[in-house]
Amino acid sequence: MLKHQFGAPMTASTRTTVLSLYMRVFRIARTWQAQSGVASDTETERKYILQEARNLFRRNQKLTEQESIRKCIEECEARIEIGLHYRNPYPRATYLPPMGLATQKGRKLRAQQRLRKQAKPIYLQSHDET
């Protein structure tokens, strides 16, 4: 078993999965073609894919809880599949107005925030602005 910085165990299979995803993202970026077919768009989108992968993997490299790691893996897989399907590397927007989820007893801000967090798709968990 491998150890993280804080001493929590990380299984070899989890490490292999994470490294495999990281390399898959880099392979996708290397062969990425923008839907518009314009070379400058392709280059911009490739740079975005690489930078987003680096940022998210670095931000999450110190995670030790298996559940948190599993959620990050699921998010990465979902973002890869959605990006390849729609030929768009950017996260898909969610269309929930700030107070769009009604509660049973009126529109209380705390309840609204909790409902918005629960309604957030897996592929947007790393984005705070949605």
Side-chain angles (χ1 to χ4, degrees), residues 77-99:
E77 290 171 341
R79 288 185 68 177
I80 287 171
E81 295 306 318
I82 289 169
L84 291 174
H85 179 77
Y86 291 103
R87 299 301 307 157
N88 183 351
Y90 307 106
R92 292 178 52 84
T94 55
Y95 300 102
L96 290 174
M99 297 298 278

Side-chain angles (χ1 to χ4, degrees), residues 3-126:
K3 297 260 185 189
H4 271 253
Q5 178 182 356
F6 300 110
M10 178 179 186
T11 63
S13 65
T14 302
R15 178 178 167 79
T16 302
T17 302
V18 170
L19 292 174
S20 173
L21 282 171
Y22 193 66
M23 295 309 296
R24 182 175 179 205
V25 170
F26 275 77
R27 281 192 300 276
I28 290 169
R30 193 175 26 226
T31 60
W32 186 264
Q33 293 295 317
Q35 200 169 21
S36 66
V38 178
S40 63
D41 290 348
T42 295
E43 190 59 33
T44 301
E45 290 179 5
R46 284 180 180 177
K47 286 180 183 177
Y48 172 78
I49 293 169
L50 294 172
Q51 191 60 44
E52 184 76 357
R54 285 183 186 118
N55 288 342
L56 291 176
F57 277 87
R58 282 183 184 144
R59 182 185 335 158
N60 297 322
Q61 74 182 0
K62 297 203 187 325
L63 290 178
T64 56
E65 294 179 21
Q66 288 298 316
E67 184 64 21
S68 299
I69 294 169
R70 185 189 61 76
K71 285 181 180 181
C72 289
I73 289 171
E74 286 178 2
E75 178 184 357
C76 182
E77 290 171 341
R79 288 185 68 177
I80 287 171
E81 295 306 318
I82 289 169
L84 291 174
H85 179 77
Y86 291 103
R87 299 301 307 157
N88 183 351
Y90 307 106
R92 292 178 52 84
T94 55
Y95 300 102
L96 290 174
M99 297 298 278
L101 299 171
T103 61
Q104 293 176 352
K105 297 180 181 179
R107 294 178 171 244
K108 296 180 181 177
L109 181 60
R110 198 173 310 149
Q112 286 292 318
Q113 290 170 337
R114 183 176 34 79
L115 289 172
R116 284 184 58 76
K117 185 175 182 180
Q118 290 171 350
K120 193 175 195 179
I122 186 72
Y123 57 87
L124 288 176
Q125 293 300 315
S126 61

